Amino acid sequence: MFENVSQLDDGRQARKRASTMFRGFFDPAFGDDNHFIARWLFLRALALIYFSAFFSLLFQIRGLIGPQGLLPAGQYLQKVAQVFDLLRFWYAPTVLWFSAGSHMLMAICFVGLAASVLAALNLWPRITFFLCFVSFLSFIGAAQAFASYQSDGMLLAAGFLALFLAPRGLRPGWGIRSIPIRAARLLLLWEWFRIYFESGVVKLESGDPTWRNFTAMYHYYQNGPLPTWIGWYLQHLPHWFQKATAGATLVMELGIVFLAFLPRRWRIFCFCFVTAWQIGVILTANYAFLNYLVLALGILLLEDRTLMRFVPARWRKPFQAPAAESETEPAEATEPTPTSGDTPTPDEATAPALRPLRWQLRLRTLRIGVVAFMLCWILYAATLPLLQLFWRGVPLPDQPAYALAPFRIANRYGLFAVMTPARYLIEFQGSDDGVHWKAYPYRYQPQNVHQAPGIYAPYQPRFDWNMWFASLGNWRHYRFVLNCEARLLLQSPSVIHLFAGNPFPHGPKYIRTVVWRYKFSTPEEKHTQGVWWTRKKVGLYAPPLERTPGGHVALFEAPLQLHATPAQVVK
């Protein structure tokens, strides 16, 4: 009998420990009470990143996926509906199912802009961040080739987890009354860690010799999507510097990031190191909001006692408020105190009017269960790809990860697995006679050899970015290039607006795409000729098109031959 009693006691203790661990991760009453400042800073930074994303879309979205754009969203969604029927809403999660016209596209941008501003001002953060997430997801769900960047997945993953981290209320301030859910913060840090670590792993796994012999940085600064003028100077530093930065990149991604799992002092060092590194990347390359987002995620490494010294004294008063004002106060009947259980506390016994009702407790339990289910699902879907990097045949189901794939909230990362060996630029050229050609100027691509490359991030010119990707492959895999030729012939205003100017106000008769190979100029060439770049023509990229007398688009028989792929002409 005594053995049975002992077993019952052991069972109760085990269930109690499991319950305590579960609530410690998912119950706000047991959340992180030492990360209010870090949460506040992260959410403000995330709101500004959302703003930059929607602000850049405001000037591009109609040219990218509008009715007269390069890849119309309406046509894409029609094809999705034919293939997936009722499942189309899951495989293409977007409000553009209601309408994919220009007005709806602009509405998405304006709603996202307004919500991001309100979120940055810390007004009703749970609602405003939800609007930001839905608006950005609606674009990504229908953007096709223009939403293939890893940074988009990073923002959606961070934005979704931020919904569980954001405090409640219209003007929550530091959010002292809404303790951060521990699991949400840890999953955001898990995303931060995987961005670095998985990128380091794929560099070695890819077999790219430039990472193995530390020459990856020799031409990195000129061959990225949108170089900067600072990168020009770094490109000409000695080889020992380039090898040192390549080695330091691998050390940071495969080693230093593990300091995030160590005590506070190590985490502070880790934060300072990666922050300085990301600032250097921002100054030497334009990767849109990617580096800003990684910077923002790193803030969550810090605790309030580290950040408190930077907070003005007049703003520290909320941290000195009594704990009874937190989200766990019984009067609000939303979160029980950590000591509440089957037996009422003395305060509850003497103040029965403040005790939560039974349906409120059940609702709260249901809410915690839903939060736990969603966060565990994301943890599984995000961790499985990391395990597969080391154990390809891992006996775990991948359906949960596939199910979340359309939402891009649990992703596999891997930046710069293989370094780009050369830089190419696809130049759109128009002509009235098929002999004399004029180029359409890009807004952000380094086309003019005399113009210094600028710093544009976090602004993301998706058209210019995609043209860089297209220059590394074959036009058959980037059909929007041929679509762009046709739209320029037909004088589509939304597509013409993607360029810096229109050399043919009345429209050209012929359009072709010419590939140039670009290199940073040498210091001597820059000094004597005033050029930042040198370039050499490679050949045609896609089939040239012409506008017929009837206003239709047809193939134009040009004397030049199409080159195979840029990779085949690298010397």
Side-chain angles (χ1 to χ4, degrees):
M1 182 178 69
F2 291 106
E3 292 181 358
N4 293 337
V5 172
S6 176
Q7 291 175 356
L8 288 175
D9 289 340
D10 291 342
R12 291 193 187 98
Q13 292 297 325
R15 288 194 298 271
K16 184 177 180 180
R17 287 192 295 268
S19 176
T20 301
M21 181 179 296
F22 176 85
R23 298 177 72 183
F25 280 109
F26 305 108
D27 191 342
F30 294 82
D32 278 330
D33 59 358
N34 193 30
H35 292 88
F36 292 109
I37 302 175
R39 177 181 66 175
W40 190 94
L41 292 172
F42 166 73
L43 293 178
R44 303 293 75 74
L46 182 63
L48 294 176
I49 292 170
Y50 266 130
F51 180 87
S52 72
F54 290 116
F55 183 77
S56 64
L57 286 179
L58 193 64
F59 305 100
Q60 307 173 64
I61 192 167
R62 287 179 293 187
L64 300 178
I65 62 173
Q68 301 301 318
L70 301 179
L71 296 174
Q75 297 178 13
Y76 168 73
L77 294 177
Q78 288 178 1
K79 295 178 182 179
V80 172
Q82 293 173 359
V83 175
F84 294 104
D85 197 23
L86 292 178
L87 290 177
R88 63 184 184 271
F89 301 111
W90 185 272
Y91 285 98
T94 173
V95 298
L96 296 180
W97 285 111
F98 298 102
S99 172
S102 296
H103 294 302
M104 189 64 169
L105 295 175
M106 297 305 293
I108 288 176
C109 295
F110 283 117
V111 170
L113 281 172
S116 61
V117 170
L118 293 175
L121 296 175
N122 202 18
L123 296 175
W124 215 344
R126 288 186 178 178
I127 298 298
T128 52
F129 276 112
F130 175 77
L131 292 175
C132 286
F133 176 80
V134 171
S135 298
F136 193 66
L137 178 63
S138 293
F139 166 75
I140 296 300
Q144 306 153 79
F146 297 110
S148 58
Y149 316 131
Q150 294 189 53
S151 56
D152 292 330
M154 294 176 190
L155 181 54
L156 285 172
F160 185 76
L161 291 173
L163 301 178
F164 299 91
L165 192 71
R168 62 186 177 88
L170 176 61
R171 299 177 60 186
W174 293 110
I176 302 297
R177 298 166 66 93
S178 268
I179 301 178
I181 297 177
R182 182 175 280 105
R185 185 184 68 87
L186 293 177
L187 279 175
L188 285 165
L189 282 176
W190 184 234
E191 180 185 4
W192 172 89
F193 172 80
R194 289 185 299 106
I195 291 172
Y196 283 108
F197 183 66
E198 291 180 9
S199 297
V201 172
V202 298
K203 285 178 175 60
L204 300 181
E205 188 183 50
S206 67
D208 186 352
T210 63
W211 284 113
R212 297 179 182 272
N213 57 28
F214 303 107
T215 60
M217 306 299 290
Y218 278 13
H219 303 288
Y220 156 80
Y221 300 102
Q222 78 172 15
N223 294 341
L226 295 175
T228 72
W229 62 271
I230 298 177
W232 185 93
Y233 290 98
L234 292 183
Q235 180 93 9
H236 293 94
L237 292 178
H239 280 176
W240 67 262
F241 174 83
Q242 314 296 354
K243 289 191 173 185
T245 52
T249 300
L250 294 174
V251 170
M252 177 186 66
E253 294 178 340
L254 297 173
I256 290 179
V257 293
F258 279 93
L259 298 180
F261 302 105
L262 297 183
R264 184 176 66 95
R265 294 182 182 273
W266 292 104
R267 294 199 303 272
I268 295 174
F269 170 79
C270 179
F271 169 79
C272 294
F273 186 93
V274 298
T275 297
W277 190 272
Q278 289 298 333
I279 292 174
V281 176
I282 289 171
L283 294 175
T284 57
N286 290 290
Y287 296 121
F289 52 77
L290 188 155
N291 303 101
Y292 292 90
L293 180 59
V294 179
L295 267 177
L297 289 168
I299 296 173
L300 297 173
L301 288 168
L302 306 177
E303 298 178 358
D304 284 351
R305 58 175 172 165
T306 302
L307 296 170
M308 187 69 72
R309 69 191 68 181
F310 304 105
V311 178
R314 65 181 181 274
W315 293 351
R316 299 181 187 179
K317 184 177 180 181
F319 295 97
Q320 302 169 359
E325 294 184 5
S326 70
E327 189 175 1
T328 64
E329 60 182 334
E332 297 187 10
T334 55
E335 304 291 350
T337 59
T339 59
S340 63
D342 296 331
T343 303
T345 63
D347 289 339
E348 290 175 338
T350 58
L354 298 179
R355 295 171 57 186
L357 300 177
R358 181 173 298 179
W359 69 268
Q360 291 174 321
L361 290 175
R362 290 179 177 176
L363 182 62
R364 172 187 162 277
T365 301
L366 176 62
R367 185 180 64 180
I368 295 175
V370 171
V371 169
F373 173 78
M374 289 303 305
L375 296 183
C376 289
W377 189 359
I378 292 175
L379 174 63
Y380 180 89
T383 306
L384 181 61
L386 177 59
L387 294 176
Q388 292 172 338
L389 285 175
F390 301 95
W391 186 4
R392 297 194 181 279
V394 56
L396 294 173
D398 49 16
Q399 288 83 359
Y402 287 148
L404 287 181
F407 298 88
R408 306 277 293 273
I409 56 177
N411 312 287
R412 175 178 176 177
Y413 304 115
L415 302 170
F416 302 106
V418 177
M419 299 304 288
T420 307
R423 177 175 192 82
Y424 297 94
L425 181 134
I426 302 172
E427 187 174 73
F428 290 88
Q429 297 180 350
S431 174
D432 290 325
D433 55 13
V435 178
H436 303 91
W437 299 86
K438 296 180 182 179
Y440 283 81
Y442 284 106
R443 289 185 178 271
Y444 303 98
Q445 281 282 358
Q447 187 175 6
N448 185 348
V449 296
H450 293 276
Q451 184 176 349
I455 300 177
Y456 312 111
Y459 187 92
Q460 184 171 28
R462 292 176 181 266
F463 174 65
D464 294 62
W465 263 60
N466 272 58
M467 292 307 303
W468 177 81
F469 282 107
S471 71
L472 303 175
N474 190 283
W475 68 271
R476 291 177 177 84
H477 301 133
Y478 299 93
R479 299 303 294 265
F480 65 86
V481 176
L482 202 62
N483 293 348
C484 188
E485 290 188 17
R487 295 298 189 190
L488 291 176
L489 280 178
L490 299 175
Q491 287 289 89
S492 170
S494 57
V495 172
I496 292 176
H497 186 69
L498 295 174
F499 293 87
N502 181 13
F504 297 92
H506 303 291
K509 185 176 181 181
Y510 307 101
I511 285 286
R512 69 180 185 180
T513 48
V514 176
V515 178
W516 300 83
R517 181 174 180 180
Y518 275 67
K519 293 182 179 180
F520 271 149
S521 62
T522 64
E524 181 181 357
E525 290 171 331
K526 183 177 180 295
H527 177 72
T528 58
Q529 304 175 35
V531 296
W532 292 81
W533 299 91
T534 61
R535 71 175 192 170
K536 181 179 180 181
K537 182 183 289 187
V538 177
L540 290 186
Y541 181 80
L545 302 180
E546 67 173 320
R547 179 163 44 88
T548 65
H552 301 290
V553 175
L555 291 176
F556 170 54
E557 296 296 332
L560 295 177
Q561 298 266 330
L562 293 177
H563 77 289
T565 60
Q568 295 176 343
V569 298
V570 176
K571 299 294 185 182

